[in-house]
Amino acid sequence: MSLRSGFATFAGKSSYWFLHTFLHGGSSLPGKITLKLDPNILKSLGANYDVIVITGTNGKTLTTALTVSVLGQKYPSILTNPTGSNMEQGIVTTFLNAKRPKTGRPIAVLEVDEANVIKVTKYIQPKAFVFTNIFRDQMDRYGEIYTTYQKILDGVALAPKATVIANGDSPIFNSKELPNPIQYYGFDNQPDGDFKAKPNTDGVLCPVCEHILHYHSLTYSNQGKYFCPNCGFHRPELTYRLTKLGEQTPTSSTFDLDGHTYKIGVGGTYNIYNALAAYSVGRFLEVSPDQISQAFTANERVFGRQEVIDVDGKQVTIILVKNPVGLDQVLHMIGTDTHQFSLVGLLNANYADGIDTSWIWDGDFEQLANLDIPTVITGGERYKDITFRLKVAGIPDSRHIVEPDLEKVVEQIKRVPTERVYVLATYTAMLQMRKILAAKGYIKEGLGV
Amino acid sequence: MTYELNVAHLYGDLMNTYGDVGNILALNYYAKQMDVHLNVKVVSLEENFHAADYDLAFFGGGQDFEQTIVSQDIQTKKAELTKFIESDGPLLAICGGFQLLGHYYIGANGEKLPGIGALDHYTLAQNNNRFIGNIVIKNQETGETYHGFENHQGRTFLGTDERPLGNVVSGKGNNGEDGTEGAIYKNVYCSYFHGPILTRNGDIAKHLLVAALKRKFPTADFSQQEALPIPATF
């Protein structure tokens, strides 16, 4: 470490100690200070680590957490960045806070924002990249899927030796030639048919000949065993496979990967993809199937986003929704509940939520009409938008309560006829809701995200 | 339902960003209240569009890449789409769909890409800037106020036989210069509004449906449909 880096590291570490001790904060500021003093700091901080970079639109956080658990079964020292600290400053802070391991070469599993991959690879040569998926996300902030993928590739271009472990079911990850070694994971549990994605799906053009892709089997959105009937472009050979899909409930999923049965304590097909990604990294780094199984069952903590809150006897689950594909998956997941439930939709349109609420129309709320939901409540700062969305989706007025004020939403929740309640909320609406629930003593901390 | 309308969802599998499909959902929602059943069909690449087969058409916005592909394919549908428009067929076009009905637009890499020139506008680009945000406009003829969310790089300039959908009250509009937003030509409504437009502005949905009904069933009485109240949703 150079004298400059050494000084910068010292300054950053002290600022973390100060912030952490006196202000109960300190996730990105120490990184900011350190970067200011030495812009190349990541080079010296990351030099001694085997780095795994996890990026993509959805599933970064859970994939990162699961990968840490999986690798923890075999490797003694694993560093990771806390949820949300996936930009350059947060990553620098993560390294600053790391304790020097006593033995062996440590591993760093980093969740990295799509546009920040290049800020990491400028200084660090990762051992592997994991690409989860690229979906249409709050487009006022992120732009189109092809632009997003290009940002990731700009970063990958600086690390041509790193192995890319990519979601093989997503056509975009097979659209550009890369010098890197590539391994794909995907779902291989269906007999071949011939399907097209739903009309309102993003990214269905063949990257070679620009015809509409077909699928032998589809999981959701534009993911599956795709092929182009025009030019023969098709899903690449998979290295890691989901071979069987077992029982799915809102709180658990059972499935086979390469012939071994696994169970995770969380619902949703999208989370099975996250588990499959973590499994792939584990297998890549020679963690055994038994160890992976252990990691999946042992670690309840990583699924914290779906904690159940007791509100005077109502079992309330708050789920963050931020884009159409995620929303559809959440709707599908709660639809697997065998108990009757009530539904609450809270919509805000602040910067962190995405200021354009149009995306709720890309979400398939129409599937709710098939579920027997006795009460639906809509609220939040943009309650009019979500209220009309659900009206159009066929929720009858007799079962629909409109309540903009979140304090009153809590009171309404206590009166619904079901024990179970799912609250789907955008980011700031979720924070507001948690704050109210904390103030009323239903949860301990306001910011459990 | 007493009436049936055939709706072409132009390139619905490619031109579908920012919730534009919500316009189809809103059309369905209001059509039901008007005793009308809609048969919606996606008409996409290498598929024929016959003007005579459809009573209403919707053309949404898309990502840059998809729009370049559509810009090529739509040339094969140019004659029939023009025929549909000239024979007073009601059509709603949003963002990229709006641009492609005009003479040309400038693509993401600065290249000039053709529209079908059925309407007399053209679209230029702007450097490193997009018009993003909430927008409100007012239609001078009807007095109706429309709400939406705009997110576009293109700057569109209307031709002499087009009227704007409205004049900008707040926001940027077609080009940020002349205070116009969208376009009306015969029964064609164009706009940059997402939101989507028909979910926040049910009056436009009503105009489109009533126009389609009157055109298809010229002797029927649609005074009830025309009187359908449209409560505010925004």
Side-chain angles (χ1 to χ4, degrees), chain A residues 136 139 144-146 199-202 204-205 210-212 355-358 361-362 382 384-385 388 391, chain B residues 12-14 16 18-19 21-22 25 29-30 45-46 63-66 69 149 194-196 199-200 233-234:
Chain A
R136 191 185 292 176
M139 291 182 72
E144 307 187 344
I145 58 170
Y146 309 104
N200 197 40
T201 304
D202 218 6
V204 294
L205 277 177
E210 296 158 357
H211 283 68
I212 306 274
I355 57 172
D356 180 6
T357 61
S358 302
W361 293 89
D362 283 324
R382 294 297 289 268
K384 285 184 183 173
D385 287 312
F388 190 59
K391 225 182 242 289
Chain B
D13 48 2
L14 298 174
N16 55 19
Y18 307 108
V21 72
L25 299 173
Y29 176 78
Y30 290 113
L45 300 182
E46 296 172 4
Q63 305 192 69
D64 291 329
F65 174 56
E66 276 83 358
I69 307 299
F149 188 94
H194 300 287
T199 67
R200 291 187 188 166
T233 59
F234 186 74

Side-chain angles (χ1 to χ4, degrees), chain B residues 143-194:
Chain B
E144 287 164 357
T145 297
Y146 304 134
H147 295 264
F149 188 94
E150 60 183 336
N151 185 350
H152 56 110
Q153 200 222 10
R155 292 181 301 130
T156 298
F157 295 88
L158 301 183
T160 47
D161 57 359
E162 293 174 285
R163 290 122 64 209
L165 177 64
N167 290 96
V168 176
V169 176
S170 64
K172 298 291 184 186
N174 283 337
N175 48 48
E177 290 170 26
D178 63 16
T180 65
E181 203 298 318
I184 300 178
Y185 172 75
K186 292 184 178 262
N187 281 327
V188 181
Y189 291 77
C190 300
S191 177
Y192 273 111
F193 277 28
H194 300 287

Side-chain angles (χ1 to χ4, degrees), chain A residues 128-160:
Chain A
F129 294 100
V130 178
F131 298 168
T132 60
N133 50 57
I134 299 182
F135 293 127
R136 191 185 292 176
D137 200 1
Q138 304 156 17
M139 291 182 72
D140 51 296
R141 290 165 63 196
Y142 289 98
E144 307 187 344
I145 58 170
Y146 309 104
T147 335
T148 307
Y149 186 44
Q150 193 52 52
K151 280 181 186 156
I152 293 176
L153 289 187
D154 291 345
V156 172
L158 301 181

Side-chain angles (χ1 to χ4, degrees), chain A residues 9-268:
Chain A
T9 306
F10 173 74
K13 279 192 183 224
S14 343
S15 77
Y16 180 83
W17 172 81
F18 177 81
L19 289 164
H20 196 73
T21 310
F22 297 106
L23 302 171
H24 306 291
S27 67
S28 73
L29 190 61
K32 197 172 174 180
I33 293 169
T34 314
L35 275 169
K36 198 113 196 156
L37 295 170
D38 181 1
N40 300 320
I41 188 67
L42 264 182
K43 195 166 188 165
S44 31
L45 287 179
N48 297 319
Y49 289 82
D50 279 342
V51 174
I52 313 286
V53 166
I54 295 174
T55 192
T57 308
N58 289 347
K60 284 188 289 281
T61 303
L62 191 67
T63 301
T64 301
L66 277 173
T67 303
V68 169
S69 316
V70 164
L71 297 181
Q73 295 288 324
K74 184 178 166 82
Y75 299 95
S77 173
I78 300 176
L79 177 67
T80 189
N81 47 342
T83 304
S85 301
N86 60 11
M87 312 254 195
E88 190 181 11
Q89 294 165 4
I91 291 163
V92 170
T93 306
T94 299
F95 279 111
L96 282 174
N97 296 342
K99 291 196 179 70
R100 200 174 287 267
K102 291 190 185 88
T103 52
R105 188 173 161 83
I107 295 175
V109 182
L110 302 177
E111 168 189 341
V112 181
D113 170 84
E114 297 91 300
N116 278 260
V117 173
I118 193 164
K119 295 183 180 164
V120 172
T121 54
K122 245 190 212 167
Y123 307 109
I124 295 176
Q125 291 289 313
K127 192 170 179 70
F129 294 100
V130 178
F131 298 168
T132 60
N133 50 57
I134 299 182
F135 293 127
R136 191 185 292 176
D137 200 1
Q138 304 156 17
M139 291 182 72
D140 51 296
R141 290 165 63 196
Y142 289 98
E144 307 187 344
I145 58 170
Y146 309 104
T147 335
T148 307
Y149 186 44
Q150 193 52 52
K151 280 181 186 156
I152 293 176
L153 289 187
D154 291 345
V156 172
L158 301 181
K161 287 189 184 141
T163 298
V164 170
I165 300 172
N167 179 348
D169 289 349
S170 176
I172 199 166
F173 294 140
N174 191 18
S175 65
K176 297 270 170 75
E177 287 287 332
L178 305 179
N180 306 59
I182 303 186
Q183 298 187 335
Y184 288 103
Y185 60 86
F187 277 44
D188 211 7
N189 61 321
Q190 297 279 341
D192 280 1
D194 186 352
F195 310 98
K196 274 206 226 176
K198 282 191 293 180
N200 197 40
T201 304
D202 218 6
V204 294
L205 277 177
C206 170
V208 178
C209 74
E210 296 158 357
H211 283 68
I212 306 274
L213 289 171
H214 285 222
Y215 291 81
H216 289 309
S217 56
L218 265 162
T219 55
Y220 63 88
S221 184
N222 69 337
Q223 300 183 131
K225 192 176 178 185
Y226 58 83
F227 69 100
C228 175
N230 186 58
C231 76
F233 172 77
H234 59 87
R235 182 175 78 172
E237 198 61 36
L238 301 178
T239 311
Y240 311 105
R241 288 180 174 75
L242 178 136
T243 43
K244 190 179 155 196
L245 203 50
E247 195 196 12
Q248 288 184 271
T249 77
T251 51
S252 72
S253 311
T254 311
F255 48 86
D256 288 7
L257 305 180
D258 297 319
H260 293 81
T261 303
Y262 298 86
K263 188 172 181 183
I264 54 174
V266 66

